[in-house]
Amino acid sequence: MTAKRWVIMFCIVSIILASIVPMMNIIIDPFSVFGDRLYEWNSHGMTNNPKAAKFAYVDARRGEFDAFIIGPSGASVFSPDKLEEYTGLRWYNMFNYGSDMEYMGKLAKYLIENHMPKHILLVLPAVSAVSYAPAIWGVTNEQPMKPFWRTPFLFANPQYAVNKAKAYPPPYVQGGWDVFVARTGTYNKTRRAIEPIGAMEDYLIAYPEFVAPRFWNQGMIYIEESTLVVAEIAQMCSEQGIELTIVAPPMLAEEISSYNVEKVQDFYSGITDIADINGLWYFITSSVSYEPRYFYDTTHARTAIGNIMIAKMFGDDSLYIPDDFGIWMTSENVDLVIEAGFGEAAIMQKLSTEEYTAELPVLMYHHLTDNVGTYSAISISGFVEHMEALVEAGFTAVSLEQVMDYVYRGIDLPEKPILITFDDGYESNYTVAFPILREFGFHGTIFAIGVTYDKKDLYKDTERQIIPHFGHKEAREMVNSGLISIQSHSYDMHNVEEDDDPFRDGVLQFSYESDDEYLDMFRKDHALMEALLQEYGSIVAFAYPYGRISTISAVLLNELGVKLTFSVDPGINTIIKGLPQSLFALKRFNMDDDVSPEDLLEMIGG
């Protein structure tokens, strides 16, 4: 081979090799900046670099969004779906890592000029004045809105593309590559949204970072620069007729104490003095700041708190809102508000936990009969003795609606509330328990099984005799009394090992069952139960058969709109105003004739 040919071949091979990485990055698109046409897995790209991937996502969908949330990661607390309920606008959350106000200004300018939004929500925590125009390190921090900004992503380490290809397809339950929800731009909190939360001691064990929290605070050294950016955003919004809402989100009390009150006053005084700003919503300091269970971690409030903020901003009093939560801060009251929240007297805002939490024991009964040898049964006299003991100890049997009203709306419960539940839907719940509950004026909840509903003789298609179960005639009378709620124990997932083949162990997934197959089965099972019980209202509560709980089932039930779930683990529950997670996997004490009235009262703290 001549030297000339060798050089030509070398050049061709070099060009081919040099093009492999860019072609791989374009086709697989691990940062979702080239359209993500092959995988359509934008959340993966957002996990790698939220600034770039979100920018590309909304830019490819011009005209689809007419309102935007802008801010650092604290802005993740605001749900676009919830804002749409109040405004009728299609929102997108453009929050990103860090608190770079220079980038916030550029982003707002670009969105205003290219997407013509009707509303911008600017989230402005005190940390906004801590960082400005930080150095960019690597492609994971590369920013859009500059010439040829996609070029670095062409030559990114091919390992990013390999990781995406290996991780595909994404699982139903959030995985490590699904930190974001592409449709809304928010953090993916499907796992965190269903975690049961109760007693403080349990929460601190699960999240020890709240025991001695540490914070990133290098001093508010960019007050002037950050204020100027906000002024420019406000001017652009004013000129274009765009509604601008500014919000300062909650912080933990320990983080609040790390700030200099004078600097915080200087920052927000400068913001409220801007000509095109009439004021801002201040949520930084309140009783919420002293409650770690309202936070995912030491710097991020839970989405439930975001929903409460939105309700406060739009004057919706149907949700629980703490009395001291949310102040409209203006140039006239800014110094007083900051002093009250950041000054030495701020500790006075702490509430007793009794003002927003309640201890809720739950009792679990099954069949009532004088044949006490029957499985999970209690004698009629034993049940009556239990009810008498509850009355004498001052307990009130409450309804599911009262419990939900406490958590979602902040409506107080009686002094000593208790939930009485029955599993399986036995006929004796109607013939025996219902008259007794009615005599005492007690509420009760029955978790019925779909396949045995109104069955009096045989189990499914077998020859096995079963204890009779009630049906519509009995259910209708009980529900119409206002004392009884009929809820779900699944349609056909309460299998019996001797009679069901294959036997499903409660709601647990078969080892050979794919996520899609399992979800399809569960959705159909739930739909059958909804159809069966539609006369009595929607299904808001689910008792896990045999107490088996899995992450995938909990996520799906939350998606299906179930508000309360019940386990079979013993213990007293702590439910918390404004925190729906405190209604998940509720503990229950199993009741039978081995539990004397004295034992019962000792269990429930009576």
Side-chain angles (χ1 to χ4, degrees):
M1 179 182 295
T2 64
K4 182 177 180 180
R5 286 186 176 180
W6 187 91
V7 170
I8 292 172
M9 289 295 296
F10 177 80
C11 291
I12 292 173
V13 172
S14 297
I15 291 171
I16 293 172
L17 291 175
S19 66
I20 290 176
V21 170
M23 288 301 297
M24 179 184 293
N25 282 327
I26 290 174
I27 295 171
I28 298 178
D29 201 3
F31 291 89
S32 299
V33 297
F34 301 110
D36 207 359
R37 294 178 179 84
L38 179 62
Y39 290 96
E40 297 182 338
W41 189 10
N42 290 279
S43 61
H44 187 283
M46 292 178 188
T47 301
N48 280 329
N49 184 326
K51 286 181 180 178
K54 286 187 182 183
F55 182 89
Y57 186 88
V58 299
D59 233 30
R61 293 162 177 79
R62 294 197 187 198
E64 184 174 334
F65 303 104
D66 45 18
F68 294 96
I69 302 159
I70 298 173
S73 59
S76 62
V77 71
F78 289 99
S79 162
D81 292 334
K82 184 60 66 174
L83 282 165
E84 184 176 355
E85 289 179 18
Y86 289 95
T87 65
L89 302 176
R90 180 73 191 278
W91 289 78
Y92 198 82
N93 198 322
M94 295 295 293
F95 90 87
N96 51 76
Y97 301 143
S99 57
D100 179 8
M101 283 301 294
E102 182 198 41
Y103 177 75
M104 303 300 175
K106 291 179 179 178
L107 177 61
K109 184 175 187 294
Y110 185 87
L111 293 173
I112 290 170
E113 292 178 348
N114 294 273
H115 291 266
M116 297 177 290
K118 297 177 181 177
H119 200 151
I120 287 179
L121 176 63
L122 176 61
V123 181
L124 201 65
V127 74
S128 298
V130 172
S131 176
Y132 189 85
I136 297 174
W137 300 97
V139 71
T140 56
N141 291 304
E142 190 66 44
Q143 297 180 0
M145 295 180 296
K146 62 183 181 181
F148 309 109
W149 69 270
R150 285 182 171 86
T151 302
F153 297 100
L154 287 171
F155 302 99
N157 187 330
Q159 188 62 48
Y160 290 114
V162 172
N163 289 341
K164 182 174 182 177
K166 289 171 63 177
Y168 190 82
Y172 171 74
V173 176
Q174 176 205 351
W177 295 109
D178 288 300
V179 173
F180 290 83
V181 178
R183 182 183 63 83
T184 61
T186 55
Y187 277 135
N188 188 335
K189 295 297 186 182
T190 50
R191 281 181 177 271
R192 300 297 300 273
I194 53 89
E195 58 181 348
I197 296 174
M200 178 69 82
E201 55 268 28
D202 296 333
Y203 196 68
L204 295 180
I205 291 172
Y207 298 101
E209 62 265 36
F210 288 107
V211 176
R214 302 176 64 183
F215 304 95
W216 177 73
N217 180 1
Q218 300 175 347
M220 301 176 71
I221 58 178
Y222 294 105
I223 292 176
E224 184 177 346
E225 293 88 342
S226 299
T227 303
L228 181 60
V229 169
V230 177
E232 291 172 348
I233 294 173
Q235 183 179 356
M236 287 186 289
C237 288
S238 178
E239 291 172 350
Q240 299 298 321
I242 300 168
E243 186 172 358
L244 174 65
T245 301
I246 301 177
V247 181
M251 289 196 299
L252 277 172
E254 292 86 350
E255 182 177 13
I256 292 167
S257 65
S258 72
Y259 279 83
N260 178 281
V261 62
E262 287 80 15
K263 286 187 176 294
V264 178
Q265 284 176 325
D266 288 345
F267 179 48
Y268 288 108
S269 293
I271 300 300
T272 56
D273 282 340
I274 295 171
D276 294 302
I277 294 177
N278 296 319
L280 61 91
W281 280 104
Y282 174 89
F283 294 99
I284 294 178
T285 56
S286 72
S287 55
V288 168
S289 300
Y290 295 92
E291 178 46 76
R293 287 169 289 188
Y294 287 139
F295 291 77
Y296 289 116
D297 52 47
T298 55
T299 56
H300 298 93
R302 289 183 174 271
T303 302
I305 294 300
N307 293 342
I308 294 173
M309 279 193 282
I310 294 170
K312 177 72 175 184
M313 290 157 57
F314 288 93
D316 180 4
D317 60 2
S318 67
L319 263 66
Y320 165 69
I321 303 175
D323 291 338
D324 63 348
F325 191 61
I327 299 171
W328 181 249
M329 190 164 68
T330 68
S331 58
E332 296 179 355
N333 67 355
V334 58
D335 287 342
L336 291 175
V337 171
I338 299 302
E339 177 63 34
F342 285 80
E344 293 181 1
I347 191 67
M348 300 303 294
Q349 296 175 356
K350 187 173 183 179
L351 297 177
S352 166
T353 55
E354 293 178 358
E355 295 188 43
Y356 60 91
T357 69
E359 300 299 295
L360 181 69
V362 184
L363 306 184
M364 175 176 60
Y365 294 94
H366 292 77
H367 181 39
L368 288 84
T369 177
D370 285 329
N371 179 15
V372 292
T374 306
Y375 170 74
S376 294
I378 186 170
S379 65
I380 299 171
S381 60
F383 182 73
V384 171
E385 289 174 357
H386 282 187
M387 299 303 103
E388 290 174 341
L390 293 177
V391 170
E392 291 173 5
F395 282 92
T396 300
V398 296
S399 66
L400 295 181
E401 288 72 19
Q402 287 176 280
V403 174
M404 288 190 292
D405 280 346
Y406 179 85
V407 171
Y408 284 92
R409 301 178 61 193
I411 299 175
D412 286 332
L413 290 166
E415 185 176 348
K416 297 176 75 172
I418 192 166
L419 266 176
I420 298 175
T421 69
F422 303 84
D423 279 7
D424 303 339
Y426 294 109
E427 191 174 51
S428 63
N429 298 164
Y430 167 74
T431 59
V432 179
F434 174 50
I436 295 171
L437 292 175
R438 185 166 50 191
E439 179 182 344
F440 285 95
F442 277 3
H443 289 277
T445 299
I446 302 173
F447 294 104
I449 302 170
V451 294
T452 54
Y453 194 77
D454 207 17
K455 293 285 186 180
K456 309 297 184 184
D457 45 17
L458 302 178
Y459 178 73
K460 292 184 180 178
D461 297 324
T462 71
E463 296 300 315
R464 184 172 67 85
Q465 292 285 330
I466 63 170
I467 300 170
H469 291 63
F470 67 78
H472 283 302
K473 179 178 179 294
E474 298 88 351
R476 191 173 296 116
E477 181 183 344
M478 289 191 287
V479 172
N480 288 341
S481 73
L483 294 175
I484 305 297
S485 175
I486 311 295
Q487 297 293 324
S488 176
H489 206 21
S490 84
Y491 189 85
D492 191 15
M493 286 188 282
H494 198 297
N495 287 180
V496 177
E497 192 164 7
E498 295 80 11
D499 298 311
D500 285 290
D501 186 19
F503 166 73
R504 184 181 295 279
D505 191 8
V507 302
L508 299 186
Q509 196 170 353
F510 290 132
S511 59
Y512 54 81
E513 196 172 28
S514 70
D515 283 359
D516 286 343
E517 291 170 335
Y518 174 78
L519 294 168
D520 182 61
M521 177 280 302
F522 205 136
R523 289 189 180 107
K524 289 178 178 176
D525 185 277
H526 187 76
L528 288 170
M529 204 63 186
E530 282 187 314
L532 183 67
L533 302 180
Q534 63 180 344
E535 180 181 344
Y536 317 115
S538 60
I539 294 175
V540 297
F542 184 90
Y544 288 98
Y546 303 115
R548 306 290 191 264
I549 301 175
S550 63
T551 300
I552 190 171
S553 65
V555 171
L556 179 58
L557 285 169
N558 192 39
E559 175 192 302
L560 292 170
V562 172
K563 305 296 185 186
L564 308 94
T565 59
F566 293 81
S567 72
V568 297
D569 296 327
I572 297 176
N573 305 287
T574 300
I575 59 174
I576 306 167
K577 290 180 179 180
L579 196 58
Q581 288 91 338
S582 64
L583 296 179
F584 295 151
L586 291 170
K587 300 172 183 177
R588 296 189 289 172
F589 293 106
N590 186 44
M591 295 289 106
D592 55 30
D593 269 2
D594 290 334
V595 180
S596 69
E598 294 75 21
D599 294 334
L600 167 60
L601 295 181
E602 184 177 352
M603 286 179 181
I604 63 177

